[in-house]
Amino acid sequence: MPSPTSQALHSRIWSWAQEVDRSANPGRQPRLRPKCTGRVTSNGMKLRDRPARKTLVEISINPRCRKRKLAEAMPDSEKTSGGTSAQPAKKGRGRPLGSKNKASAAVEDNGDYQRDDEPVSLPSRGHPASIPDLPPPSASSAKTPQSRQSSSPSKSKRGERMLGQPRPDATIDMAFLETCKPSVTKRTFRELKAAGKLIPEAAQELRQKLLFVPKGLIPFQLKARYDKDLDTPRKSKDPIHEQEYLDPASTPFTNQQLERLMHTVEEVHRKASTAANIKAHERQWGSIMTQILHEAEGWPEERDAVLLNVPRETCSIQPVEFKPSRPETKGPLDGHARTAAAESAKSDAPDNLGRMVDWVLALQLSMHDLGLISRAFSRCMDSEHSLNQSLSYITRYPIFADVEVKTSSNRDPEVQLAIWAVGAVLKRRHHGWNTEMPMPAIVVDGHMWKWYLLFVVGDDVQMTGPEFFGDTSTTQGIWTIFYRLHILVEWGTTVFARWVQDEIIGWAKGLTEASDDV
């Protein structure tokens, strides 16, 4: 008995032979299928002599595939012969019934039929000379599967469209802010003194503390630890010289803080080196910066003056009256040529100046002071319920320093710091608070940390800087950041905290007492 595979192959070959036979001799009666009993059929004829064998050879050597032709392209179609076909076209595989070629028609008219041992004359299998034009696809059928899944544009298209949109605030520079009210001017302390400007005393004191620091800032208490780390088989670490250590009497940290800070310094140095090698994004540098700032939260000793790091994801200058504005005039302003931003920005469109900083250093007030401020805010309008220039969740935190993280960007961090400082000045003027308290700021650009100082002189805001704050590329540079950060935190929890008590808390007490008397 033949195997099932042989039976399947024999059945397929016979179906092909029947198909060819029907196409070549439509009027001939179909032959009975011989039984597959091996190499010889029931009538004694070998399979290789049957037309099925010849059909298989013909199919194997024909390079063209068997495709179903269009009804208009058939020889017996109405379009080709000019009349109706004798029999409707058969749907499905193979050649439709009723289609004849000239050779088969001549044989049928003479009454002759081909013999099994003669070659089978196959019909022409060429493609039609012309294919009728198909109607254009409709709008629904022209959609790709991706477009049918979602009608929104892809991420790349959205990014291209966003980059192509105009950004009025992207071209605002310091020259434009000089024409605003209040104006912001960037000058050095020497230029201000030469111009006869009266610099606030609080700004001069803070500048002296941040500018003049010892040369070596690595705590001397950690010298033995660092010397031990240098004793490695490869000797890959550079030795620390004696002048790079700080005198123990000048170290502002306790021994317990030094142990934790040493571990933080090593971790920050490792992360910063990796971020510089891979050219990390601004957010990754921001995570390194926050790790340093979080160490400063435990430095204040008073519980009512705790340092907080407040992100700005949902913070902006509110209300809009606290943003810098420029009165409309014709021609150059104060002798300064108009920039592209000055031409496009309008005083009636203050939203163009909605820039923000990334982080702020603020004070957390005591529960007693917060209750007093809440009673004072209940007697004010909703737009006044804040201790700073924002109406978001940081309304109860007086800000004493701003932090901006930058990498290679088209936005100028100095402009962002200046706009944010103008909002603080207008907020203080709105409530009648003293505006002589300076507003320090830090800009982090990769490894490099720089600091600025903004303060009010007369009716305008002055900006000085940038000055070196530290860097994360070396151990000495990271310890320099911690030293200056300690100075800034100490100033915020002492000098700035006294200003908060005198101005903000004093204003709240006066407003509450006046309302109680009425």
Side-chain angles (χ1 to χ4, degrees), residues 265-302:
V265 168
E266 295 176 353
E267 188 174 358
V268 167
H269 183 261
R270 177 180 55 82
K271 291 182 178 180
S273 300
T274 303
N277 293 334
I278 65 176
K279 297 181 181 180
H281 189 265
E282 177 181 320
R283 291 174 180 250
Q284 189 165 350
W285 286 105
S287 64
I288 299 174
M289 178 268 302
T290 54
Q291 185 175 1
I292 296 177
L293 295 182
H294 279 303
E295 289 292 337
E297 292 182 358
W299 292 346
E301 297 180 359
E302 299 83 0

Side-chain angles (χ1 to χ4, degrees), residues 504-517:
I504 299 180
I505 304 302
W507 163 81
K509 289 180 179 179
L511 187 61
T512 304
E513 293 173 358
S515 301
D516 293 340
D517 295 339

Side-chain angles (χ1 to χ4, degrees), residues 121-404:
S121 61
L122 298 177
S124 175
R125 302 183 57 143
H127 293 281
S130 62
I131 299 178
D133 297 334
L134 299 177
S138 60
S140 59
S141 62
K143 292 183 179 181
T144 61
Q146 183 178 1
S147 62
R148 289 196 298 269
Q149 291 177 1
S150 175
S151 59
S152 61
S154 61
K155 293 183 179 179
S156 60
K157 296 297 181 181
R158 289 199 302 265
E160 292 174 1
R161 186 166 67 251
M162 291 175 64
L163 293 175
Q165 292 177 352
R167 292 183 55 195
D169 62 337
T171 55
I172 297 176
D173 53 8
M174 295 299 296
F176 170 73
L177 293 179
E178 290 182 5
T179 65
C180 294
K181 185 179 181 180
S183 66
V184 183
T185 307
K186 184 181 178 183
R187 298 180 183 178
T188 63
F189 265 75
R190 182 176 298 179
E191 293 174 348
L192 291 174
K193 291 180 180 180
K197 301 294 183 179
L198 183 60
I199 303 174
E201 183 178 355
Q204 297 185 39
E205 293 178 355
L206 180 58
R207 176 179 177 271
Q208 292 292 328
K209 293 180 179 180
L210 292 175
L211 192 60
F212 300 101
V213 297
K215 183 178 180 181
L217 294 176
I218 301 178
F220 186 81
Q221 294 90 324
L222 302 176
K223 185 178 183 303
R225 296 281 303 274
Y226 279 110
D227 291 342
K228 184 179 180 180
D229 292 342
L230 292 175
D231 189 12
T232 58
R234 294 186 177 182
K235 308 293 182 182
S236 58
K237 295 184 178 181
D238 296 332
I240 301 177
H241 302 286
E242 294 292 336
Q243 59 270 21
E244 297 184 27
Y245 287 101
L246 181 63
D247 183 61
S250 304
T251 302
F253 307 107
T254 62
N255 293 333
Q256 184 179 1
Q257 292 175 344
L258 289 176
E259 292 292 334
R260 186 176 65 254
L261 288 179
M262 183 178 180
H263 175 73
T264 304
V265 168
E266 295 176 353
E267 188 174 358
V268 167
H269 183 261
R270 177 180 55 82
K271 291 182 178 180
S273 300
T274 303
N277 293 334
I278 65 176
K279 297 181 181 180
H281 189 265
E282 177 181 320
R283 291 174 180 250
Q284 189 165 350
W285 286 105
S287 64
I288 299 174
M289 178 268 302
T290 54
Q291 185 175 1
I292 296 177
L293 295 182
H294 279 303
E295 289 292 337
E297 292 182 358
W299 292 346
E301 297 180 359
E302 299 83 0
R303 296 299 301 174
D304 56 347
V306 179
L307 180 68
L308 295 177
N309 297 322
V310 184
R312 59 85 179 168
E313 281 113 6
T314 58
C315 302
S316 61
I317 299 177
Q318 294 175 342
V320 295
E321 289 78 12
F322 293 160
K323 298 179 182 180
S325 60
R326 182 180 62 83
E328 286 297 321
T329 57
K330 296 182 180 179
L333 300 176
D334 300 332
H336 295 284
R338 287 176 175 265
T339 61
E343 292 289 347
S344 61
K346 302 287 185 179
S347 60
D348 57 353
D351 290 339
N352 293 342
L353 304 177
R355 298 189 174 193
M356 302 168 289
V357 294
D358 291 328
W359 290 77
V360 295
L361 303 178
L363 296 178
Q364 182 177 352
L365 303 179
S366 62
M367 297 301 298
H368 177 269
D369 293 341
L370 289 177
L372 186 62
I373 291 174
S374 297
R375 290 194 297 271
F377 281 164
S378 64
R379 294 162 176 83
C380 300
M381 296 186 298
D382 293 341
S383 59
E384 299 175 336
H385 293 184
S386 178
L387 302 180
N388 50 62
Q389 60 270 45
S390 179
L391 290 177
S392 61
Y393 58 92
I394 62 173
T395 55
R396 297 299 188 268
Y397 300 110
I399 300 172
F400 67 88
D402 308 320
V403 182
E404 176 68 18

Side-chain angles (χ1 to χ4, degrees), residues 16-77:
W16 289 342
Q18 291 287 74
E19 182 180 353
V20 173
D21 198 9
R22 286 195 301 269
S23 300
N25 306 299
R28 185 176 178 179
Q29 294 294 331
R31 294 187 297 268
L32 297 177
R33 175 184 174 184
K35 296 181 180 180
C36 182
T37 57
R39 298 180 58 86
V40 181
T41 61
S42 58
N43 56 0
M45 183 176 292
K46 295 184 179 180
L47 287 177
R48 67 183 64 178
D49 297 332
R50 300 291 294 174
R53 179 69 177 180
K54 301 177 183 180
T55 305
L56 181 60
V57 174
E58 169 63 22
I59 295 175
S60 61
I61 64 176
N62 193 345
R64 297 178 180 178
C65 57
R66 297 176 58 85
K67 292 185 178 180
R68 179 187 175 190
K69 298 180 181 180
L70 298 175
E72 295 83 353
M74 293 300 174
D76 55 348
S77 63

Side-chain angles (χ1 to χ4, degrees), residues 432-451:
W433 303 339
N434 188 286
T435 58
E436 295 183 356
M437 187 58 54
M439 296 162 286
I442 302 173
V443 174
V444 180
D445 187 357
H447 280 305
M448 190 61 60
W449 288 47
K450 301 177 182 179
W451 63 275

